[in-house]
Amino acid sequence: MKWGKKTIISLLAVSLLLPLAAGTEAMASSDDLALVANEDGMFDSIPTVYEVESTYKNLGDFGTLNHAEDLFVDSQDQLYIADTGNNRILKLSPDGTVLAEYTEGYGVKFKGPKGVYVHPDGTIWVADTGNYRIVRLNQDGTDNEVYYKPESNLLEESFTFAPEKIYVSQTGYIYVLKGSNLMLMDAKNEFRGYLGAATVPFSLKRFFIRTFGTRSQKERTVKQEPSAYTNFMIASDGMAYGILANETTGQIRKLNSVGTNTYPELPYGFSITLDDTNFSVVKFSDINVMDNGIITLADQNTGLIYQYDQDGDLLAMFGGSGSVKGTYSSPNSIVSDSAGRLYILDYSTNTVTVLSPTRFIQLIHQAVALYDVGRYEESKDYWQQVLAIDSNYALAHSGYAKVLYKEGRYQESVAEYMLGNDKEGYSQSFAEYRHELFRQYFGWIVLAIVVVCGALWIVFVKVKAWSDKTAHKLEMGGWLK
């Protein structure tokens, strides 16, 4: 079931997710606020999915953050923060203690670093945006390597190399977000091209101007660029996941090695409104992909946090815009650790919020992950546990129905799809159930058809004989003269 198929504008959503009206002192947090969308275009509440475990704001001797731009969690669950306004990179332990501060590379102070990445070998990669370079450091802060603008005839002279986000793939390629471009470099500082540019839609008006317009009209026609990437990451599956800006559908991109998107191109997120003049559209600021394939996104405009599976199904959304615990003013970076905790960076409040998953969302994640790798029987048990907590969670009914369908239990699958209000799945299962009934009773059906046809033939013969006999009598009696 594709919950992401609809863009919904709902006053109900705002009243549930944005608990900031005057007089709400009793509501100290929004931990208990979690929703999913239903097929009727509204939202259903679900049990709590994440709880606020802690927040990092005052870092003691290291002061506070200053419009930090990026987070990264390494294999040891240590948190790295690109503290952009303070021109530094911070390394924190899982409990929030600052372990190290990195402020320079190759004898030059960092200037507005917007991205940080830690390689499995322990080296720290810094997108030193203001100095137009990438710096690679060892864990002790000593220099390892530095990268500047690649020398390439494919790059224009006016091209400014100001990296904002950085990742290194398993093959050693360096993925760099610079402005709207997602570009590739190799370890030798050579340009390897751009990745996954969105398709520019055809414009008939632009075509006619380009074909028949005057020189002045052509010059005034602004060159149409593909949608820009706002953020990206390389997941454990080796795929590059990115977010497209200024799009109403297909905002989530899952790019293979040749840059082809393999993620469902559906509308994701919900635009909401408080009144006739205050309207917030979706603006995803960051994307995180856990090892189990669960995708989490932060919406900078509404403060909402969304979770999707690999099929584009919405698992839950929570948070909202605000300043109370569990809400966010301007979330701009989100990462996860090995325990499934989420770390959300709020650009406006200079705060990192740590969220712990509840049993409910953990069961959902396990069910989805098991099903995705073909372990259907095991996933069924987790879906049943989810339904034991919330019997109205539609996606659990749909997920359970998928397992029953795989097992060939079509009648039961039909019933579960109906409970999940999954029309597409219901139709598919019902078709199989109908075929199964036909196959099961084929012999009896054929026999019934033969008997009915035989009976009809006998009736036809008898009626014809009677009519012929009656006509003969009438003729002999002179009735037909």
Side-chain angles (χ1 to χ4, degrees):
M1 181 181 297
K2 297 293 183 284
W3 296 115
K5 286 182 178 177
K6 299 178 180 178
T7 299
I8 300 175
I9 303 172
S10 173
L11 293 175
L12 174 62
V14 179
S15 65
L16 291 172
L17 292 170
L18 310 179
L20 301 177
T24 56
E25 296 178 2
M27 185 173 291
S29 73
S30 65
D31 289 353
D32 58 341
L33 296 175
L35 303 174
V36 291
N38 61 41
E39 288 290 342
D40 296 324
M42 298 300 289
F43 297 102
D44 295 330
S45 62
I46 59 175
T48 304
V49 290
Y50 283 91
E51 298 174 329
V52 176
E53 179 180 304
S54 59
T55 56
Y56 305 155
K57 188 174 181 69
N58 190 332
L59 302 177
D61 295 339
F62 295 89
T64 59
L65 302 176
N66 183 8
H67 296 319
E69 292 273 3
D70 196 27
L71 299 177
F72 189 87
V73 173
D74 68 9
S75 59
Q76 305 300 315
D77 285 341
Q78 298 173 126
L79 179 68
Y80 291 77
I81 306 175
D83 191 5
T84 310
N86 287 325
N87 303 310
R88 63 183 180 177
I89 303 295
L90 294 176
K91 174 184 176 183
L92 281 68
S93 65
D95 64 3
T97 302
V98 178
L99 301 176
E101 179 185 41
Y102 307 95
T103 59
E104 64 176 38
Y106 283 83
V108 178
K109 296 288 186 181
F110 292 145
K111 185 177 180 181
K114 291 187 176 182
V116 59
Y117 165 82
V118 182
H119 195 272
D121 65 10
T123 55
I124 305 164
W125 297 66
V126 180
D128 192 8
T129 313
N131 287 321
Y132 310 107
R133 62 178 186 163
I134 295 171
V135 177
R136 185 180 184 186
L137 302 174
N138 298 312
Q139 275 290 322
D140 59 4
T142 56
D143 299 330
N144 186 294
E145 188 61 80
V146 62
Y147 301 88
Y148 293 98
K149 175 183 175 180
E151 294 293 335
S152 174
N153 294 329
L154 299 176
L155 295 176
E156 300 175 356
E157 289 293 331
S158 59
F159 178 84
T160 302
F161 185 67
E164 298 172 13
K165 307 295 176 185
I166 180 172
Y167 263 83
V168 180
S169 69
Q170 299 171 356
T171 57
Y173 279 104
I174 305 168
Y175 289 67
V176 181
L177 179 67
K178 186 271 173 186
S180 62
N181 300 309
L182 187 56
M183 60 179 291
L184 272 68
M185 300 166 49
D186 62 20
K188 297 180 180 180
N189 206 156
E190 295 183 357
F191 176 66
R192 291 295 182 178
Y194 294 106
L195 185 72
T199 303
V200 177
F202 174 76
S203 171
L204 183 61
K205 178 181 178 181
R206 191 179 299 275
F207 170 76
F208 278 116
I209 292 176
R210 291 290 185 185
T211 306
F212 305 107
T214 65
R215 180 176 180 181
S216 176
Q217 289 174 327
K218 293 179 180 179
E219 290 176 350
R220 290 198 303 269
T221 303
V222 179
K223 182 180 179 182
Q224 192 170 9
E225 300 286 350
S227 296
Y229 281 91
T230 57
N231 221 320
F232 80 103
M233 73 166 292
I234 307 295
S236 58
D237 60 5
M239 305 284 272
Y241 291 78
I243 310 167
L244 286 182
N246 303 320
E247 290 288 337
T248 58
T249 185
Q251 304 100 313
I252 304 174
R253 313 286 285 183
K254 179 181 177 181
L255 307 176
N256 58 21
S257 58
V258 295
T260 301
N261 178 44
T262 61
Y263 199 73
E265 295 201 11
L266 305 169
Y268 297 102
F270 301 99
S271 299
I272 57 179
T273 182
L274 276 171
D275 49 52
D276 293 337
T277 59
N278 187 3
F279 181 75
S280 294
V281 297
V282 178
K283 184 181 179 182
F284 291 129
S285 56
D286 198 12
I287 183 170
N288 174 259
V289 184
M290 300 180 183
D291 289 343
N292 57 15
I294 301 300
I295 298 173
T296 309
L297 302 107
D299 183 356
Q300 187 172 349
N301 282 350
T302 65
L304 292 173
I305 308 300
Y306 296 85
Q307 281 199 338
Y308 292 92
D309 64 13
Q310 287 289 317
D311 293 325
D313 294 319
L314 176 63
L315 306 182
M317 60 183 181
F318 52 95
S321 179
S323 57
V324 298
K325 186 174 68 171
T327 62
Y328 313 96
S329 296
S330 183
N332 64 328
S333 186
I334 184 168
V335 293
S336 60
D337 63 16
S338 61
R341 288 188 292 262
L342 295 177
Y343 298 78
I344 300 175
L345 175 64
D346 195 318
Y347 180 85
S348 297
T349 62
N350 298 307
T351 303
V352 177
T353 301
V354 184
L355 302 177
S356 296
T358 64
R359 178 63 175 162
F360 180 67
I361 197 65
Q362 287 177 328
L363 289 170
I364 294 172
H365 288 179
Q366 289 170 314
V368 169
L370 288 169
Y371 185 89
D372 285 346
V373 296
R375 295 163 64 178
Y376 308 122
E377 185 64 30
E378 294 175 68
S379 71
K380 181 171 65 174
D381 177 62
Y382 286 104
W383 283 129
Q384 289 174 321
Q385 292 184 60
V386 171
L387 291 171
I389 298 174
D390 182 5
S391 61
N392 294 320
Y393 187 66
L395 193 63
H397 285 293
S398 183
Y400 187 32
K402 289 180 181 178
V403 178
L404 295 173
Y405 180 87
K406 289 288 186 181
E407 294 176 346
R409 297 161 63 181
Y410 302 119
Q411 184 177 8
E412 296 171 79
S413 178
V414 166
E416 286 296 325
Y417 273 127
M418 183 179 295
L419 290 173
N421 197 23
D422 189 335
K423 298 176 182 177
E424 181 180 340
Y426 176 88
S427 298
Q428 184 180 23
S429 286
F430 185 77
E432 290 295 336
Y433 177 53
R434 184 177 57 213
H435 293 159
E436 182 182 50
L437 287 177
F438 184 79
R439 290 191 297 267
Q440 182 178 355
Y441 296 104
F442 179 76
W444 290 104
I445 293 172
V446 172
L447 179 60
I449 293 173
V450 171
V451 170
V452 170
C453 290
L456 290 174
W457 176 254
I458 292 173
V459 170
F460 172 77
V461 170
K462 287 185 175 293
V463 168
K464 187 176 187 302
W466 176 83
S467 62
D468 290 344
K469 183 177 180 181
T470 301
H472 179 71
K473 289 180 177 179
L474 293 172
E475 183 179 1
M476 293 297 294
W479 287 92
L480 297 179
K481 292 183 179 179

